[in-house]
């Protein structure tokens, strides 16, 4: 294969990767926006929900879910902003772990606290492990060769 054909093929592969990355980042930004609104809406609902106010245990479960939800949504927002400057697979991996953690941990605890149904309780610890892996995957940034303000391409 000639050099010019290899360059064209490389550019096509790179353009396809950029398109898929932009779709993934669009999904991440959508997830952040929906979860910010969801957090506020669920907090407002919980302040008026009689089943939470009457049951101390369900209220404590809701508070755990809510705290982890807001912490990891804000962490996700910070990582998404950082990904504008730093292109790194580690940021992306961390964001995906946080998305999975929010979905499995917080949502299952919300389900339990609002309904009392433990049908998805086995997913909650998996979500917690995803939160841990999300934080630990940021260690990968320390291993990268170039951590300056310029873009890091892997």
């Amino acid at each position: 294969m000639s050099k010019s054909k290899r360059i064209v093929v490389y550019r096509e592969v790179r353009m396809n990767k950029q398109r898929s990355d932009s779709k993934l980042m669009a999904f991440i930004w959508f997830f952040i926006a929906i979860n910010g609104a969801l957090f506020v809406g669920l907090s407002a609902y919980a302040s008026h929900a009689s089943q939470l106010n009457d049951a101390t245990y369900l209220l404590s479960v809701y508070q755990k879910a809510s705290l982890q939800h807001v912490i990891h949504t804000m962490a996700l927002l910070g990582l998404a902003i950082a990904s504008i400057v730093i292109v790194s697979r580690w940021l992306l991996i961390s964001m995906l772990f946080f998305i999975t953690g929010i979905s499995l941990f917080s949502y299952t605890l919300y389900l339990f606290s609002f309904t009392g149904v433990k049908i998805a309780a086995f997913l909650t610890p998996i979500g917690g492990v995803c939160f841990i892996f999300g934080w630990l995957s940021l260690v990968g940034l320390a291993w990268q060769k170039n951590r300056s303000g310029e873009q890091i391409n892997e």
Side-chain angles (χ1 to χ4, degrees):
M1 184 184 294
S2 71
K3 184 177 179 180
S4 63
K5 286 185 179 179
R6 279 185 288 191
I7 291 172
V8 169
V9 169
Y10 173 76
R11 285 185 181 157
E12 287 176 8
V13 169
R14 188 166 176 94
M15 286 176 60
N16 287 336
K17 183 180 182 312
Q18 288 173 342
R19 267 185 246 141
S20 66
D21 286 351
S22 67
K23 287 180 182 178
L24 183 58
M25 285 308 298
F27 166 74
I28 290 171
W29 282 108
F30 177 78
F31 187 86
I32 292 167
I34 292 300
N35 274 275
L38 187 62
F39 170 75
V40 173
L42 287 173
S43 296
Y45 174 76
S47 69
H48 301 288
S50 61
Q51 74 265 26
L52 287 180
N53 295 328
D54 296 339
T56 315
Y57 178 68
L58 292 179
L59 182 60
S60 72
V61 170
Y62 169 79
Q63 288 171 341
K64 289 173 188 163
S66 180
L67 178 64
Q68 294 304 315
H69 188 180
V70 74
I71 287 171
H72 289 91
T73 299
M74 291 299 105
L76 192 55
L77 176 62
L79 293 176
I81 291 169
S83 73
I84 294 170
V85 178
I86 302 169
V87 178
S88 170
R89 82 178 90 177
W90 294 108
L91 284 175
L92 185 61
I93 290 168
S94 182
M95 287 188 278
L96 293 175
F97 272 127
F98 285 163
I99 287 171
T100 306
I102 290 168
S103 301
L104 296 179
F105 185 86
S106 295
Y107 293 171
T108 57
L109 288 180
Y110 285 142
L111 177 68
F112 174 66
S113 65
F114 289 130
T115 65
V117 175
K118 291 185 178 184
I119 195 166
F122 67 94
L123 296 174
T124 306
I126 296 170
V129 169
C130 287
F131 285 151
I132 294 168
F133 285 158
W135 289 110
L136 290 176
S137 64
L138 292 175
V139 171
L141 287 173
W143 291 336
Q144 288 182 340
K145 294 177 186 173
N146 186 351
R147 287 176 280 151
S148 67
E150 61 192 55
Q151 289 193 345
I152 302 168
N153 295 312
E154 296 184 12

